[in-house]
Amino acid sequence: MRIFLTGIDGFAGRHLTALLAAEGHDVVGSSLEPAEVTGAGRVWRVDVRDPDAVEAAIGEARPDALVHLAAQTSVAAAFGRPGETFAVNAMGTLHVLEACRQAGVGRVLVVTSSEVYGRRAATD
């Protein structure tokens, strides 16, 4: 199976690439900066805030599945730069999902964190 990972060069992306490649999958992906990732067949330089670039990379890759890992992951940075964080995390996700729809990607996993649920009261 050909699997595309956005944010392939991040902590989770590098580990997931190694695992998927070891299992025999064809792993490709995108990164904000030029990157070489062990196990990846190709890495496109893509900013998820650019819908045309996202669509071009996913369209060219023709993946069977996509794992969306590209995001602003620092909560402190998110609060410090809320507009940029929204552009990356919300609009970037929209661009990835729309590109997947256009390319006919059959499976998509959007990875987030527990921060999406907001403050929770402590439980016993």
Side-chain angles (χ1 to χ4, degrees), residues 30-121:
S30 66
S31 170
L32 184 59
E33 299 295 330
E36 289 186 24
V37 178
T38 302
R42 179 169 176 193
V43 178
W44 283 262
R45 185 175 181 200
V46 173
D47 185 333
V48 295
R49 295 173 291 186
D50 180 346
D52 295 332
V54 172
E55 186 176 333
I58 294 172
E60 185 178 335
R62 313 269 328 140
D64 302 299
L66 181 139
V67 179
H68 181 42
L69 299 168
Q72 169 55 265
T73 59
S74 165
V75 175
F79 280 108
R81 297 187 302 276
E84 179 182 322
T85 299
F86 185 83
V88 172
N89 291 8
M91 295 305 296
T93 298
L94 176 63
H95 299 153
V96 169
L97 293 173
E98 178 60 18
C100 287
R101 186 181 70 78
Q102 293 289 335
V105 178
R107 297 177 181 179
V108 177
L109 174 63
V110 177
V111 177
T112 64
S113 77
S114 62
E115 293 294 328
V116 302
Y117 300 109
R119 286 212 154 166
R120 307 288 294 173

Side-chain angles (χ1 to χ4, degrees), residues 9-23:
D9 64 326
F11 178 80
R14 288 183 184 277
H15 288 281
L16 185 55
T17 297
L19 175 69
L20 293 171
E23 291 181 354

